[in-house]
Amino acid sequence: MKKTLHLCLALVGILFLQSCQQKTTPAANDYFAQSNDTIQNGGIKMIPITTPKGTFNVWTKRVGNNPKIKVLLLNGGPGATHEYFECFENFLPAEGIEFIYYDQIGCGNSDNPNDESMWDLARYVEEVEQVRIALGLDETNFYLLGHSWGGILAMEYSLKYQKHMKGLIISNMMSSCPEYGKYADEVLAKQMNPAVLAEIEKIEAAKDFANPRYMELLIPNFYEKHILRFPAKNWPEPVNRSFAKMNQSLYVTMQGPSEFGVAGKLEQWDRKGQLKDIAIPTLVIGAQHDTMDPKHMEEMAKLTPKGTYLYCENGSHMCMYDDQKTYFKGLISFLKK
């Protein structure tokens, strides 16, 4: 009798496990399912964008399929490419999270009109909205993740179009460029060797930004300390590939030529006072060694009604690389709430 009971329990256990497997396997298959397109092209979609200067095509690529969580990635720079986000492939697919690479106009695989009048924040907001519509993203699934300059664009977009969003992630970007400039002058600059800082300031005063000595000084004394905390020779290939394609016209027009603070079109950009108007769930990601003030970014999370702060203690501006475990654990937790 006891043997029969044990056998029955064992059979029930096996059937239960098979049932669980049957429930989970289709979900995995759905995530990697082919699209409805006649020809499979790796999830790439070219989207025509209407602008005051005509129509231009932008490049997007979908990774995975999740009807409830779709994360559109906004690259930094301004003028870098989607490529430095490739580390996301090692973390998000395993969690069933869909994400979408996107090169903004003037960046990477998208059209470059070579027209400085196109490098405009308000125009980029409308570009993102057209991308959202073309990809069928809405308030039931649409998360927007903006890193660095992409964080500015994400905040600006959210203030106008949050009704179409499920959530917002601001990664490594302050809500005020004047406060960023102050932090660069009063904190970051003072951490630098005075002799090195004096030489950098001399080059900047002469506007001699093409001088190779400028980068010789910045790489070990600034980039390796605050952009990505590895020796530059060991920087991840996707980062190097993305930065090598930087649209300098776009970068200088928006950011300015200096690495300390902002001197371009964004110099006076400040949305700190409007963060209270972002009503959707918001994750703000800051890092101890960032070019951006981590305390300011923590305050941003408190100013947004549904804000959460993710602090990367060991990270810098690219903390998706130099504090990966903290970054992706926090991001995934936020997306799956």
Side-chain angles (χ1 to χ4, degrees), residues 35-169:
S35 68
N36 294 324
D37 299 322
T38 305
I39 298 174
Q40 300 301 307
N41 68 351
I44 293 169
K45 183 171 185 175
M46 299 299 292
I47 300 173
I49 302 296
T50 303
T51 79
K53 295 297 183 74
T55 300
F56 300 92
N57 292 315
V58 300
W59 180 95
T60 67
K61 176 182 172 71
R62 190 190 79 187
V63 178
N65 173 48
N66 184 331
K68 295 183 179 180
I69 308 176
K70 300 176 183 289
V71 187
L72 182 66
L73 304 177
L74 301 181
N75 62 258
T81 74
H82 75 280
E83 290 159 295
Y84 71 80
F85 284 126
E86 286 175 3
C87 60
F88 282 51
E89 296 178 24
N90 294 105
F91 298 91
L92 299 194
E95 300 293 333
I97 296 170
E98 175 183 337
F99 62 101
I100 303 155
Y101 294 129
Y102 154 41
D103 282 337
Q104 301 148 29
I105 285 181
C107 301
N109 300 321
S110 295
D111 286 348
N112 181 3
N114 292 309
D115 183 345
E116 290 184 5
S117 68
M118 292 281 288
W119 316 146
D120 180 77
L121 179 55
R123 193 209 60 74
Y124 274 112
V125 167
E126 299 311 313
E127 177 181 318
V128 174
E129 174 62 358
Q130 292 183 59
V131 169
R132 180 196 69 80
I133 293 169
L135 294 176
L137 311 177
D138 60 36
E139 68 280 2
T140 68
N141 53 34
F142 175 33
Y143 290 86
L144 188 62
L145 186 155
H147 173 254
S148 193
W149 140 254
I152 291 179
L153 180 54
M155 281 181 263
E156 201 73 18
Y157 175 87
S158 300
L159 286 166
K160 186 171 183 180
Y161 289 115
Q162 62 183 298
K163 64 183 178 182
H164 300 307
M165 299 173 64
K166 190 173 182 179
L168 167 68
I169 302 99

Side-chain angles (χ1 to χ4, degrees), residues 87-88 147 171-172 226-230 285-290 310-328:
C87 60
F88 282 51
H147 173 254
S171 181
N172 308 89
H226 300 293
I227 300 294
L228 180 50
R229 288 174 66 81
F230 305 148
I285 305 175
Q288 176 59 37
H289 306 284
D290 203 341
L310 174 60
Y311 173 60
C312 296
E313 183 178 6
N314 299 313
S316 65
H317 198 55
M318 305 290 288
C319 54
M320 69 279 290
Y321 282 98
D322 54 22
D323 199 353
Q324 282 191 332
K325 288 184 179 180
T326 304
Y327 188 96
F328 284 103

Side-chain angles (χ1 to χ4, degrees), residues 132-256:
R132 180 196 69 80
I133 293 169
L135 294 176
L137 311 177
D138 60 36
E139 68 280 2
T140 68
N141 53 34
F142 175 33
Y143 290 86
L144 188 62
L145 186 155
H147 173 254
S148 193
W149 140 254
I152 291 179
L153 180 54
M155 281 181 263
E156 201 73 18
Y157 175 87
S158 300
L159 286 166
K160 186 171 183 180
Y161 289 115
Q162 62 183 298
K163 64 183 178 182
H164 300 307
M165 299 173 64
K166 190 173 182 179
L168 167 68
I169 302 99
I170 305 165
S171 181
N172 308 89
M173 187 65 227
M174 294 167 64
S175 59
S176 167
C177 285
E179 289 194 30
Y180 164 43
K182 185 178 179 182
Y183 182 72
D185 290 338
E186 297 182 1
V187 179
L188 299 180
K190 289 180 179 179
Q191 293 176 4
M192 196 173 286
N193 181 309
V196 171
L197 178 61
E199 191 173 353
I200 289 173
E201 290 177 337
K202 183 178 179 181
I203 293 172
E204 291 194 340
K207 300 188 183 302
D208 189 15
F209 296 102
N211 187 330
R213 180 62 177 162
Y214 188 55
M215 293 307 296
E216 287 176 12
L217 293 167
L218 284 175
I219 288 173
N221 294 288
F222 188 73
Y223 281 30
E224 292 179 353
K225 295 182 184 296
H226 300 293
I227 300 294
L228 180 50
R229 288 174 66 81
F230 305 148
K233 62 184 178 63
N234 296 331
W235 276 18
E237 190 274 341
V239 175
N240 290 332
R241 181 163 23 101
S242 178
F243 286 6
K245 298 177 182 179
M246 186 79 71
N247 182 333
Q248 291 297 327
S249 169
L250 173 51
Y251 182 86
V252 173
T253 300
M254 301 292 280
Q255 154 81 23

Side-chain angles (χ1 to χ4, degrees), residues 143-144 151 154-155 158 162 165-171 275-285 297-298 300-310 331 334-335 337:
Y143 290 86
L144 188 62
M155 281 181 263
S158 300
Q162 62 183 298
M165 299 173 64
K166 190 173 182 179
L168 167 68
I169 302 99
I170 305 165
S171 181
L275 291 177
K276 65 182 187 322
D277 299 324
I278 299 178
I280 55 176
T282 301
L283 176 66
V284 182
I285 305 175
M297 290 181 283
E298 183 177 15
M300 288 167 59
K302 294 176 181 177
L303 290 172
T304 54
K306 296 181 180 179
T308 304
Y309 183 55
L310 174 60
L331 174 61
F334 173 77
L335 292 171
K337 277 183 181 178

